[in-house]
Amino acid sequence: MAHFTSDGLDLAYDEFGPADGRKAIVLVHGFSANRTENWKRMGWYDAIAAKGLRGFALDNRGHGESAKPHDPAQYDRETMARDVFALMDHAGVERAHVLGFSMGSHITLTAALLDPGRIDHLVVAGVGATLFDPPRAEGAMAEAMEAANPDDIADPMLKSFRHFADEQKEDRLALAACSRGPRLPLTRDSLMGIRRPTLVVAGARDQLAGPPQGLADAIPGAKAVTLPGCDHFSCIGHPMFKATVFDFFDGWLE
């Protein structure tokens, strides 16, 4: 396990694939997960190494083996996006593909708005048309993380995130703070400013994300792919997901 410092916090990451890879890629995991669960266990490290890419995956602040502050102000999405660039700086990488999942997609979209020159291709997965819907009940995710008993959580989706966090032995108070963190509004107007090749991927049964085309339509030139039979949690390990991403990088995705 390696570490780097960003905004005064100690963050954990893995590097994999050839050190002299022709291009680099950074993986940004979802809420309540970590780099091992979202990416390594799902075969992404091996797949990326096999493609000859120099890969990096960080534990977002508040997750995995990274620092876990309990102050929501520490989880500003712009700051979390700059964590990605801080990892690239630490590794001596000027420009990279960036692949995010769910919350990681919100972070990578923010990164693309902040400093697009450092991103080669952008892939956002586990997100779609619902990005533009009014937010769910304010504070509901944080309250689910803070609940003394997960059986008291009425919403099935929130309960599933809580159970997942417990299974991963994550710091629930850090996750609650993360869910309350300030964020840059991602609107159709603001996303029109993204000028990087972009791929949006979501499962056909992903009710949390909604149809990926609804998000792709807001990003100039973006492509959308729907993974058949997948919900929010099952798409990340789907072989078609990996194949689609690599086809996109190689310029074969029509």
Side-chain angles (χ1 to χ4, degrees):
M1 179 182 61
H3 294 263
F4 69 103
T5 301
S6 179
D7 187 40
L9 297 180
D10 188 57
L11 305 181
Y13 76 99
D14 288 330
E15 180 174 354
F16 45 93
D20 60 350
R22 55 189 175 84
K23 288 188 176 180
I25 180 171
V26 181
L27 309 179
V28 189
H29 67 75
F31 181 76
S32 78
N34 52 68
R35 69 192 195 281
T36 299
E37 176 62 24
N38 257 187
W39 305 118
K40 185 175 183 179
R41 192 175 74 82
M42 296 297 178
W44 281 92
Y45 285 20
D46 290 341
I48 285 168
K51 292 292 290 184
L53 296 171
R54 185 184 180 195
F56 300 90
L58 77 159
D59 278 341
N60 291 313
R61 55 179 64 203
H63 296 74
E65 296 175 290
S66 287
K68 298 176 176 64
H70 290 178
D71 178 3
Q74 294 274 11
Y75 295 94
D76 187 302
R77 287 296 187 268
E78 291 191 38
T79 304
M80 295 180 76
R82 296 191 191 282
D83 291 342
V84 175
F85 296 134
L87 171 56
M88 292 168 61
D89 291 341
H90 173 79
V93 173
E94 177 59 31
R95 187 181 177 96
H97 301 312
V98 183
L99 165 57
F101 177 74
S102 196
M103 179 189 74
S105 292
H106 291 243
I107 292 170
T108 58
L109 287 169
T110 302
L113 291 170
L114 292 176
D115 196 351
R118 302 201 64 181
I119 296 175
D120 192 342
H121 286 59
L122 179 69
V123 180
V124 291
V127 287
T130 64
L131 183 75
F132 305 118
D133 290 349
R136 298 169 70 94
E138 193 72 27
M141 180 66 80
E143 291 168 5
M145 292 298 151
E146 293 165 340
N149 186 345
D151 292 335
D152 294 335
I153 303 169
D155 185 300
M157 182 65 72
L158 296 176
K159 183 179 287 189
S160 69
F161 272 99
R162 168 58 186 272
H163 281 308
F164 184 73
D166 288 344
E167 289 169 2
Q168 299 302 309
K169 296 180 171 58
E170 294 288 346
D171 182 329
R172 293 188 291 103
L173 296 183
L175 294 179
C178 181
S179 72
R180 291 190 172 107
R183 58 199 68 192
L184 183 72
L186 298 174
T187 66
R188 288 182 174 87
D189 286 343
S190 68
L191 294 179
M192 284 295 293
I194 294 178
R195 290 294 188 270
R196 304 309 311 147
T198 302
L199 173 66
V200 184
V201 183
R205 299 178 181 174
D206 188 343
Q207 297 181 353
L208 191 61
Q213 190 65 55
L215 173 56
D217 287 343
I219 301 172
K223 302 179 185 298
V225 171
T226 300
L227 301 177
C230 292
D231 61 17
H232 188 71
F233 299 103
S234 63
C235 79
I236 196 165
H238 199 291
M240 184 179 169
F241 183 15
K242 296 184 183 70
T244 298
V245 169
F246 294 133
D247 282 349
F248 177 59
F249 290 163
D250 292 338
W252 293 106
L253 190 64
E254 295 297 334

